[in-house]
Amino acid sequence: MHFVDAKGILTGSGGRFGMNIYRGCSHGCIYCDSRSRCYQFTHPFEDIEVKQNAPELLEQALRTKRKKCMIGTGAMSDPYMHCEENLRLTRRCLEVIKKYEFGVAIQTKSDRILQDIDLLDAINRTAKCVVQMTLTTYDDDLCRIVEPNVCNTKRRIEVLRQMQERGIPTVVWLTPILPFINDTVENITAILNECVRVGVKGVIDFGMGLTLREGDREYYYAALDKHFPGMKERYIKTYGYAYELPSPNARELTKTFKKICTDHDILCSPEACFAYMSEFPEPYRQLGLFDD
């Protein structure tokens, strides 16, 4: 872990901004796209870059913005990895978001987010908060292999349940689906049945498969050699060095996915989910001159 003073914290424009408080990750997920060389990391991925001035930069940015909107975080680096336990930079940024009455769409795999459920609840009451959780496999043993340094799927589902109890809307990322590993109807059905049970608002799927780029591919294939002997050769034989690796079962899995979501009024297209997460609610009313 190393500390830097960033020049800025928000990216994007218009109706939604994004921020990454950290760069790199300690969760060790074998498929992580953020390892790809296109993101131009100049330090080892596990040597977390900490933007130590993130809360101050965020305060400066939000203080000058007149139009409220949603702020997303967690797309590149998980805001609740191990270092957040002590640094609390994510919490400090959430406090700034609450102070200026912006909304937040926050993505994680970690149950550490429960440490901030009070603050997320408060943001959701004054503006809007959407908690996003990645779920890839319902099998605990497999989860420990593909996502080794973070809580398992069942614990993440418990996080979703507790958010639902507070009235905080949730979205699940059902991705990636790893060919020949977790691409079964049984796995998809088990995860989606739990999504129904805990009342998620939407589920994001990008086609029931995996993408691999330079940097990410090498790390993933090394993990396959370690945990799934012979699997790397099967991947190369099936896909070569393609960027998109759809599951051979993609059609059947997608059919199952869409049926369960449609039957239970769960948003199931990426476009619908992103539109919902980007939508900032209009205030119910403007305070009148003599209102308290």
Side-chain angles (χ1 to χ4, degrees), residues 217-270:
R217 179 184 292 107
E218 291 80 358
Y219 190 87
Y220 181 66
Y221 279 176
L224 292 186
D225 275 340
K226 179 179 180 180
H227 299 289
F228 307 95
M231 187 66 76
K232 180 180 77 172
E233 289 73 22
R234 188 177 183 184
Y235 267 65
I236 293 172
K237 182 178 179 180
T238 305
Y239 301 107
Y241 288 88
Y243 169 62
E244 295 184 358
L245 288 67
S247 165
N249 306 321
R251 181 174 296 182
E252 183 181 13
L253 298 179
T254 299
K255 182 179 178 181
T256 300
F257 163 70
K258 289 185 176 179
K259 183 178 189 320
I260 294 175
C261 289
T262 301
D263 287 350
H264 297 278
D265 295 321
I266 296 173
L267 300 176
C268 61
S269 74

Side-chain angles (χ1 to χ4, degrees), residues 12-31:
S13 61
R16 187 180 179 186
F17 291 90
M19 68 175 180
N20 284 295
I21 302 164
Y22 303 108
R23 291 192 78 220
C25 191
S26 57
H27 286 164
C29 303
I30 68 172
Y31 51 73

